[in-house]
Amino acid sequence: MTFLVVVEGDVGGWHVDRGALTEAVRVRWPEVAVDTSGRSEVRAVVWKFDTDNDPGEAYLHEDGSCLYVDASEDDAIWLATAFRRLTPFDLDVVFCDDGYTFDVRLRAGTTEAELTALVRAAS
């Protein structure tokens, strides 16, 4: 399943710091493979990693305001909270799946446990 972490509305030129996001990903998956070749608009940066569940992949839109995650829900939730920590407090961030079976606001400071509960309540 693909999950999305999206900054909504006018971001005023903001974009996630790719280096900081890569560092965050490396904390969880030290052996992550990073591809910055920019294969497409939605795959400006690609992170491939092995998880306890299956191989995973995350990719960042070239504008730096949308992260796609092909991984387990738990890993996607971890990445969503890592992305949110790098996002200014005043920007609206949404976490959803590609089928839009849930769509939850990811407020600044939301923990993994809190986001998991929000997702379960919205599903």
Side-chain angles (χ1 to χ4, degrees):
M1 178 178 294
T2 300
F3 298 91
L4 291 83
V5 186
V6 182
V7 180
E8 289 192 323
D10 181 12
V11 297
W14 176 86
H15 59 277
V16 72
D17 180 323
R18 295 174 181 186
L21 187 54
T22 297
E23 287 178 29
V25 170
R26 282 191 200 285
V27 166
R28 184 158 177 126
W29 300 290
E31 303 299 319
V32 64
V34 182
D35 178 359
T36 58
S37 63
R39 293 185 271 163
S40 72
E41 186 175 305
V42 297
R43 291 178 170 267
V45 179
V46 179
W47 297 270
K48 292 185 179 189
F49 44 86
D50 289 319
T51 73
D52 291 338
N53 302 309
D54 290 311
E57 181 178 66
Y59 38 102
L60 185 67
H61 191 279
E62 70 181 4
D63 73 3
S65 66
C66 182
L67 180 68
Y68 303 83
V69 183
D70 292 326
S72 71
E73 184 177 281
D74 289 343
D75 291 323
I77 285 172
W78 184 89
L79 275 164
T81 59
F83 184 92
R84 183 59 175 124
R85 285 191 300 273
L86 299 171
T87 307
F89 180 80
D90 61 330
L91 294 181
D92 292 325
V93 178
V94 172
F95 180 67
C96 60
D97 68 351
D98 59 352
Y100 296 101
T101 57
F102 70 87
D103 177 341
V104 298
R105 298 263 172 229
L106 181 51
R107 301 195 191 295
T110 300
T111 66
E112 291 174 63
E114 291 167 337
L115 182 54
T116 299
L118 289 170
V119 168
R120 299 254 156 68
S123 297

